[in-house]
Amino acid sequence: MEFYQEETNKLRRMIVWLVDIIVVISLAWFVVYGFGTQIRITGQSMTPELRSEDVVLMNRLSYDLGSPKRFDVVVFERDDKKPNVKRVIGLPGEVVEIKDGKVYIDGSPTPLDDSFIPEKMIGSYGPYTVPENCYFMLGDNRNDSKDSRSWKNKFVRFDQIVGKAVVRYYPSFKWLG
């Protein structure tokens, strides 16, 4: 009888172990293919937050129930269908103006806090009135970024946004703003 119980316990442990492996693999598959997608960064427009060859995980479901917020780092596709990564600056209905390198929203006397950018932006741009369902985007490396200031169509439509960049996991781990 002892032999039978010992074999039964071994079989139970093996089944539990197999179930654990199946659950972990299923969760990993869901995270990578259902919840998120990895994106490899090209270019330096988001330096220092993201550099060329960094790999980030994007949450494709992040805007199914809500809208992008100011300073979200988003992934979107423009006419070239290539993934782009920029920071949301202007929200629908807002007026964005850049004076002497500082960003102002709706004529506020106080500029946005952009202390996270590596160097002061050069120049003045706008004002730009952001249409409904659209967003004004800037790269963090403002003096070396092709973004809303330089695009013919200055805005990214909501339906062009693929998801929110959540975490950089290569070459090092970092939660994104």
Side-chain angles (χ1 to χ4, degrees):
M1 207 51 141
E2 271 182 48
F3 176 76
Y4 178 74
Q5 282 182 329
E6 188 178 310
E7 288 300 312
T8 303
N9 287 340
K10 283 182 182 178
L11 182 62
R12 283 184 183 152
R13 284 193 303 265
M14 194 163 82
I15 290 172
V16 168
W17 185 75
L18 286 172
V19 168
D20 287 347
I21 287 175
I22 290 169
V23 168
V24 167
I25 290 171
S26 298
L27 285 172
W29 181 88
F30 176 74
V31 166
V32 172
Y33 294 103
F35 170 73
T37 300
Q38 71 175 15
I39 301 288
R40 184 173 299 276
I41 303 300
T42 57
Q44 298 296 327
S45 72
M46 286 300 292
T47 301
E49 188 83 357
L50 298 170
R51 299 179 186 282
S52 191
E53 300 303 313
D54 283 0
V55 181
V56 300
L57 183 65
M58 171 194 72
N59 179 349
R60 292 190 291 184
L61 305 176
S62 58
Y63 300 125
D64 283 355
L65 299 175
S67 307
K69 309 285 184 264
R70 189 176 337 277
F71 300 124
D72 280 1
V73 178
V74 299
V75 179
F76 57 94
E77 292 179 350
R78 293 186 43 86
D79 301 331
D80 58 6
K81 299 297 181 199
K82 293 179 187 172
N84 291 270
V85 179
K86 302 282 187 239
R87 192 175 296 275
V88 174
I89 299 298
L91 303 174
E94 293 182 336
V95 176
V96 178
E97 187 168 12
I98 301 167
K99 298 180 198 171
D100 297 321
K102 292 288 185 184
V103 180
Y104 296 87
I105 303 294
D106 291 335
S108 170
T110 306
L112 290 182
D113 177 15
D114 57 4
S115 56
F116 53 86
I117 65 172
E119 61 186 19
K120 182 181 179 211
M121 181 173 28
I122 298 169
S124 297
Y125 305 88
Y128 306 107
T129 301
V130 183
E132 287 304 312
N133 271 341
C134 293
Y135 298 86
F136 188 87
M137 307 286 190
L138 292 176
D140 287 358
N141 189 2
R142 306 268 163 90
N143 294 321
D144 191 22
S145 177
K146 301 282 189 261
D147 49 36
S148 286
R149 297 167 296 163
S150 62
W151 298 330
K152 181 178 179 185
N153 179 359
K154 303 289 184 202
F155 311 103
V156 173
R157 295 185 321 271
F158 180 76
D159 65 356
Q160 293 174 303
I161 296 174
V162 181
K164 181 178 180 179
V166 178
V167 65
R168 177 188 70 206
Y169 66 89
Y170 178 83
S172 61
F173 187 87
K174 179 180 183 181
W175 289 106
L176 302 175

